[in-house]
Amino acid sequence: MKRKRESIFKAGYVIGLLIISVAAFMWYSHKLKDELRGLVRNTLKEVSNQNVLVMQKEIEWDLAALEEIAERISAMGETDEGEILDVLRRIEERYSFKRFGFCRADGIVHTTVDEMADVSEREYFRASMQGESYISDPLIDIMDGEEIIVFSAPIKSDGEVIGVLCAPYRMDGLKEILEVSSFEGEGYTYVIERDGDKIVDSTHPTSFRNMTNIFKSMTEADERNDQAVEDLKLLLDAGQTGYVIFYNKVGKYMYATPLGIKDWFLIDVVPVDFMENTSNYIINRTYIMCGILAVVCAVIAFLIMSEERRKKQRIQNLLYVDELTGGNTLARFKIEVERRMQVHYKKLAIIMMDLDDFKLVNELFGYEEGNKVLRFLSRTLKESCCDGEFTGRSNADRFYILFLYEEEKEIKQRILKLAENIQRLRMSETMEYLLHPVFGIYYVKAGDDNVEDMMDCAALAHNMAKQARNSTYKVYTDEIKEKELQKKQLSDQIEHAYRNHEFIVYYQPKYDSITRKLAGAEALVRWRRADGQMVSPGLFVPLAEESGFVCKLDEYVFREVCLAQKRWMDKGLDIVPVSVNLSRRHLDNPEFINEYKAILDESGVPIEYIQLEITESAMFEKKEDFVQIMERLHDLGFMILMDDFGTGYSSLMMLKSIPIDVMKLDKSFVDDYDDERGERIIRCVMRMAQDLSIAITAEGVETEAQYRFLTSVGCDTIQGYYFARPMPEEEYELRMQA
Ligand code: C2E
Ligand code: MG
Ligand code: MG
């Protein structure tokens, strides 16, 4: 769920980033286009202004020149036409006029080319006769039909206009001025009147042919130009500078600027494409650069992300992959269980498994073989998993499994099958060795939500299975938990009870099998609470062993027994040897030997009256130390009794290396005496013990029949309810006296 939310967030993040980038890019290119268009318009404006200047200069200069000549003629006073024309002819070449003409108030013009004409009807004549200098609209030359404009200026005498000096100017001359190539020959220029009528048109191949009115030509060229015509009309009416875009085969800018001469406008035309080529080039380059940048960024982002992913994977591997077996770690197991719990399509069972004897595997076959066993276990567990199931290793040989099920019995069957598969592993060619997997099962209940708690429950059930010998699995129940709680409370109370003198020693007599006389006793610790309630040693001894407190307890019992024996000796009683139990935890600290010896010496009891019992299974924990400790104790003079013989793994041959004086046949052997196989085993053990000169004590003898049988096979001493239960000191004292 968390992961899904994370990836939705990531996708949203990337999409958001993409949208922002695209929007930013679009905004930027829009801005760039605008700026470049502005730049284009500025260029157009500058070129147009240039043309206006050229035109103004040309016309104004010519008009000014004409006015100056008119003044000079005026200054000549009353002169005849011939003289005036001579003057004009002399200067004619200096100016770009076609010719000069002079007329008096009658409107008959005398020209420098000796032609005469009547211009009394011409506007320029009339205007100049009013005292104005004037430039005419385009006219047809009366003399040769050429298109011209006429410049005119008044000639005065004593302040009175007496005539007009006029000079036609060829339109072609104006055209030539305007046709100076602009925009690499792509642009051209018109001069028009405010109403659109042509003053000067262009010979450029893409200009309007035979234009008389610019609006008319625009309308005819393309029907899309209606708006442009309207806009241009507005511009001209307002006498403003501005541009429109119109179509004549291609889109073109038309830039209008008032010429400042009459109501004439200069119109510069240039194709949109030409103007925008450069900006398009820049924009395209920008697009390409942005594209490359985006690709580079994407590649870098991809590389960074892959590296991140690889790093994450490596960390996850460290966290989630068990280095030794290649299977899942416990961390991964927990995460997967949590995930399955959310899906919940089937019932879940959490199972804990380990081997009853993995330590032994390591000791017998070495660590490398031990590791192989772990890999084999991981593989076998994995193979037993179906879809949606998985395993994880916690530590050493401890594995967790998640199984899905419909009915509980399926799980039990699968576990037995799994145990069978595990037991198929052949550890050695020469030695028959079976692995003993033990399982604890926890069926996940509705409302369970803490994986660790569920695993603890599986571990509790597993613990129970381990304690109960010969059981492959146990299912968690609330009673198990209850018992665990009690154990915990007990374990917390032991030390306090010790200080409170709640521990006392009971004695269980042992009898000679033949004479039926008291032959010894075993000292057994008892916990009697302040309220008189007894706590079973079966409950608290294992707890004390776990915490190590048992050593203190053993020493206490040892001392109590020494003191009691001394008291009885002093009373003159015929004491018999009393055996004291020695926990396996003493093997951790062999110093206890000296302490025990000191206690014994201090009590003054001869060493033959105190014996030591150690369980057979303790031998496997630290075999070397065990033998040494036993030898030292034996050398000191203690008799060594091997307790619970038959519950461990020792063979009788192994006993050879340990100085054992007495072997205590475990109750489980005694109980099985009446089954054929049990009987045979007892007989065999007896025979071998006798060969090794080891005496035998049978434990847990409860019936006459057991007693008889054991006596008949040669048991030396008998301990059990048949003769006596463990009893308080006073009661035992009475037995000694009997
Ligand atoms: P263990 O050393 O094998 O002691 C013999 C146990 O068998 C005693 O149980 C005894 O009461 C019981 N027993 C004897 N005869 C019979 C019988 O005929 N029938 C049945 N059902 N049981 C019989 P207890 O006293 O409950 O002690 C249990 C175990 O606790 C002992 O087994 C021993 O391993 C441990 N333990 C007791 N006292 C001490 C102690 O002072 N130190 C240490 N380290 N362990 C002790
Ligand atoms: Mg014992
Ligand atoms: Mg025993």
Side-chain angles (χ1 to χ4, degrees):
M1 195 73 175
K2 201 175 154 201
R3 209 178 264 191
K4 200 172 169 190
R5 221 180 300 142
E6 228 170 65
S7 52
I8 290 175
F9 178 77
K10 253 189 204 165
Y13 182 72
V14 170
I15 291 171
L17 217 65
L18 217 72
I19 291 173
I20 291 173
S21 311
V22 169
F25 178 70
M26 278 166 65
W27 176 82
Y28 173 74
S29 55
H30 177 78
K31 277 272 156 204
L32 187 70
K33 259 187 187 168
D34 260 12
E35 298 245 324
L36 288 170
R37 283 224 173 101
L39 221 66
V40 164
R41 268 170 246 141
N42 274 347
T43 315
L44 209 56
K45 191 174 169 184
E46 266 170 34
V47 171
S48 188
N49 283 345
Q50 203 67 35
N51 283 340
V52 167
L53 277 179
V54 170
M55 280 289 286
Q56 280 175 346
K57 212 169 134 198
E58 180 71 19
I59 289 171
E60 278 168 11
W61 192 84
D62 284 343
L63 192 63
L66 194 78
E67 281 171 344
E68 198 190 309
I69 297 166
E71 268 172 32
R72 272 167 63 188
I73 292 171
S74 300
M76 282 167 70
E78 275 301 316
T79 340
D80 64 10
E81 288 84 23
E83 223 172 305
I84 292 169
L85 287 175
D86 280 347
V87 171
L88 291 174
R89 275 190 204 104
R90 275 203 298 277
I91 57 170
E92 199 171 35
E93 271 177 23
R94 287 187 231 159
Y95 302 96
S96 43
F97 296 117
K98 216 174 157 182
R99 58 178 180 268
F100 284 108
F102 163 75
C103 57
R104 294 194 186 274
D106 57 4
I108 304 296
V109 68
H110 302 267
T111 67
T112 45
V113 290
D114 292 332
E115 301 269 358
M116 280 177 29
D118 182 1
V119 294
S120 57
E121 293 304 314
R122 299 286 202 195
E123 211 171 326
Y124 66 82
F125 170 72
R126 288 198 190 140
S128 289
M129 281 306 291
Q130 295 299 314
E132 262 182 69
S133 298
Y134 195 79
I135 300 166
S136 79
D137 287 340
L139 299 167
I140 299 299
D141 197 337
I142 306 169
M143 314 232 162
D144 55 13
E146 217 181 15
E147 221 177 358
I148 50 164
I149 52 171
V150 180
F151 290 65
S152 61
I155 296 171
K156 293 177 183 170
S157 172
D158 300 331
E160 287 286 313
V161 179
I162 54 154
V164 172
L165 179 67
C166 54
Y169 192 97
R170 281 172 40 244
M171 291 296 270
D172 287 349
L174 277 183
K175 266 186 210 171
E176 277 158 24
I177 294 168
L178 291 176
E179 266 166 20
V180 172
S181 164
S182 60
F183 301 112
E184 295 172 19
E186 294 282 335
Y188 50 91
T189 311
Y190 301 120
V191 178
I192 57 166
E193 281 182 291
R194 176 168 278 134
D195 58 8
D197 282 349
K198 169 206 85 172
I199 304 293
V200 183
D201 64 357
S202 169
T203 54
H204 195 275
T206 64
S207 65
F208 292 132
R209 302 286 96 212
N210 305 323
M211 180 175 87
T212 53
N213 182 289
I214 198 158
F215 300 134
K216 196 166 155 251
S217 293
M218 280 166 81
T219 313
E220 282 168 6
D222 199 303
E223 54 194 20
R224 286 175 290 176
N225 288 339
D226 288 353
Q227 188 57 46
V229 168
E230 283 309 306
D231 292 347
L232 186 62
K233 273 182 183 166
L234 284 175
L235 267 179
L236 299 190
D237 282 346
Q240 277 176 358
T241 305
Y243 77 96
V244 297
I245 292 176
F246 75 103
Y247 298 91
N248 182 13
K249 293 196 179 81
V250 293
K252 293 180 180 188
Y253 279 110
M254 182 178 270
Y255 199 90
T257 320
L259 249 180
I261 300 164
K262 304 184 77 180
D263 57 354
W264 294 357
F265 285 84
L266 196 81
I267 302 288
D268 281 299
V269 181
V270 65
V272 171
D273 276 356
F274 173 79
M275 287 310 283
E276 292 194 351
N277 262 355
T278 323
S279 64
N280 282 343
Y281 176 74
I282 293 170
I283 287 170
N284 288 342
R285 280 277 286 268
T286 311
Y287 285 164
I288 290 168
M289 285 309 289
C290 285
I292 292 171
L293 217 66
V295 170
V296 169
C297 285
V299 168
I300 291 172
F302 177 77
L303 290 177
I304 290 172
M305 272 157 72
S306 334
E307 184 53 32
E308 285 281 302
R309 212 174 299 135
R310 228 173 296 144
K311 260 192 214 156
K312 218 170 152 187
Q313 190 64 47
R314 239 177 281 144
I315 292 167
Q316 275 192 350
N317 278 354
L318 279 181
L319 275 176
Y320 297 148
V321 179
D322 176 26
E323 217 179 320
L324 180 73
T325 63
N328 298 321
T329 58
L330 198 64
R332 178 79 196 271
F333 180 83
K334 286 179 193 165
I335 290 171
E336 291 295 334
V337 174
E338 270 167 9
R339 234 180 251 171
R340 295 301 183 284
M341 282 175 63
Q342 275 154 12
V343 179
H344 230 295
Y345 53 94
K346 259 187 167 185
K347 292 189 224 166
L348 310 177
I350 292 179
I351 296 146
M352 198 205 119
M353 187 222 85
D354 77 357
L355 295 178
D356 198 16
D357 41 13
F358 183 62
K359 211 167 170 185
L360 203 61
V361 171
N362 276 334
E363 278 168 17
L364 291 176
F365 303 99
Y367 278 94
E368 202 32 60
E369 282 303 308
N371 286 346
K372 276 189 194 161
V373 169
L374 293 179
R375 283 191 276 269
F376 163 78
L377 285 178
S378 170
R379 216 169 38 243
T380 313
L381 294 185
K382 205 171 170 191
E383 279 163 14
S384 76
C385 286
C386 305
D387 250 10
E389 301 178 337
F390 52 90
T391 66
R393 187 169 79 108
S394 142
N395 55 24
D397 58 334
R398 181 175 280 216
F399 287 85
Y400 280 91
I401 315 164
L402 181 97
F403 275 167
L404 307 175
Y405 71 98
E406 299 280 359
E407 283 184 52
E408 291 181 5
K409 68 170 189 235
E410 289 168 33
I411 296 287
K412 292 174 185 167
Q413 283 163 1
R414 287 180 69 184
I415 281 185
L416 290 176
K417 179 88 193 128
L418 187 56
E420 213 179 294
N421 290 341
I422 290 172
Q423 292 196 319
R424 287 218 174 105
L425 183 71
R426 272 188 70 83
M427 292 296 300
S428 145
E429 292 297 319
T430 52
M431 187 173 150
E432 186 69 31
Y433 189 92
L434 270 188
L435 296 176
H436 290 280
V438 182
F439 300 82
I441 307 170
Y442 177 71
Y443 296 116
V444 178
K445 295 194 299 280
D448 281 345
D449 57 358
N450 189 320
V451 180
E452 304 230 349
D453 287 352
M454 296 186 283
M455 287 164 67
D456 285 348
C457 290
L460 268 183
H462 172 268
N463 209 20
M464 284 290 147
K466 256 196 151 166
Q467 279 171 23
R469 296 221 169 104
N470 294 329
S471 83
T472 307
Y473 66 81
K474 276 267 186 285
V475 177
Y476 170 88
T477 58
D478 287 341
E479 290 85 76
I480 290 183
K481 190 156 197 181
E482 193 56 40
K483 265 191 197 158
E484 276 307 304
L485 265 175
Q486 270 180 6
K487 269 170 67 181
K488 172 86 178 66
Q489 282 168 351
L490 269 189
S491 149
D492 291 347
Q493 291 165 359
I494 288 179
E495 283 192 44
H496 176 254
Y498 178 78
R499 284 196 300 274
N500 218 20
H501 307 290
E502 291 180 20
F503 290 102
I504 51 169
V505 181
Y506 267 41
Y507 295 83
Q508 185 175 33
K510 298 172 192 169
Y511 286 85
D512 185 288
S513 62
I514 297 169
T515 63
R516 295 176 66 101
K517 280 197 171 152
L518 186 69
E522 179 178 2
L524 295 159
V525 71
R526 290 290 177 268
W527 179 353
R528 191 172 56 196
R529 290 183 184 271
D531 59 3
Q533 197 196 340
M534 300 294 274
V535 184
S536 158
L539 266 181
F540 71 82
V541 170
L543 296 178
E545 277 193 326
E546 237 169 72
S547 67
F549 189 71
V550 74
C551 294
K552 222 169 186 177
L553 217 52
D554 279 356
E555 193 186 303
Y556 165 76
V557 173
F558 183 83
R559 179 178 284 116
E560 287 296 299
V561 170
C562 290
L563 295 175
Q565 289 282 60
K566 181 70 174 82
R567 272 197 308 277
W568 293 321
M569 266 171 65
D570 292 347
K571 278 189 185 173
L573 292 173
D574 281 338
I575 56 166
V576 286
V578 174
S579 59
V580 178
N581 288 289
L582 204 58
S583 160
R584 67 190 69 197
R585 292 299 298 259
H586 285 287
L587 303 178
D588 301 337
N589 178 23
E591 283 309 296
F592 83 94
I593 299 173
N594 299 332
E595 280 162 38
Y596 271 40
K597 182 70 171 67
I599 293 169
L600 180 80
D601 290 347
E602 207 179 305
S603 72
V605 178
I607 200 159
E608 61 266 30
Y609 289 107
I610 305 289
Q611 302 173 336
L612 297 173
E613 289 192 16
I614 181 119
T615 54
E616 184 202 6
S617 54
M619 190 168 114
F620 294 98
E621 307 215 333
K622 289 183 175 172
K623 191 157 174 272
E624 302 299 308
D625 296 358
F626 184 83
V627 175
Q628 267 186 15
I629 291 171
M630 292 305 121
E631 273 172 355
R632 274 182 67 193
L633 289 169
H634 200 252
D635 291 348
L636 283 175
F638 283 113
M639 271 204 30
I640 308 289
L641 281 63
M642 172 154 284
D643 203 356
D644 304 337
F645 182 80
T647 55
Y649 299 95
S650 60
S651 70
L652 281 169
M653 294 320 287
M654 284 165 90
L655 298 181
K656 266 187 172 174
S657 54
I658 310 164
I660 288 168
D661 302 295
V662 181
M663 209 163 72
K664 295 186 77 181
L665 205 59
D666 191 66
K667 188 176 182 303
S668 54
F669 273 109
V670 174
D671 287 344
D672 287 349
Y673 86 99
D674 52 353
D675 113 12
E676 203 193 311
R677 198 175 136 79
E679 188 190 320
R680 224 180 296 150
I681 294 173
I682 295 177
R683 282 183 193 281
C684 177
V685 169
M686 294 301 304
R687 218 174 303 128
M688 294 203 63
Q690 280 157 3
D691 282 355
L692 292 167
S693 306
I694 296 174
I696 306 278
T697 299
E699 282 189 283
V701 179
E702 291 180 338
T703 65
E704 171 83 26
Q706 286 174 335
Y707 163 70
R708 285 228 187 100
F709 170 75
L710 291 161
T711 310
S712 73
V713 293
C715 241
D716 303 285
T717 32
I718 304 290
Q719 179 185 350
Y721 295 174
Y722 173 66
F723 278 109
R725 287 181 176 252
M727 55 188 68
E729 190 184 304
E730 306 78 42
E731 217 176 296
Y732 172 66
E733 196 178 318
L734 291 175
R735 288 254 173 174
M736 268 192 289
Q737 289 165 351

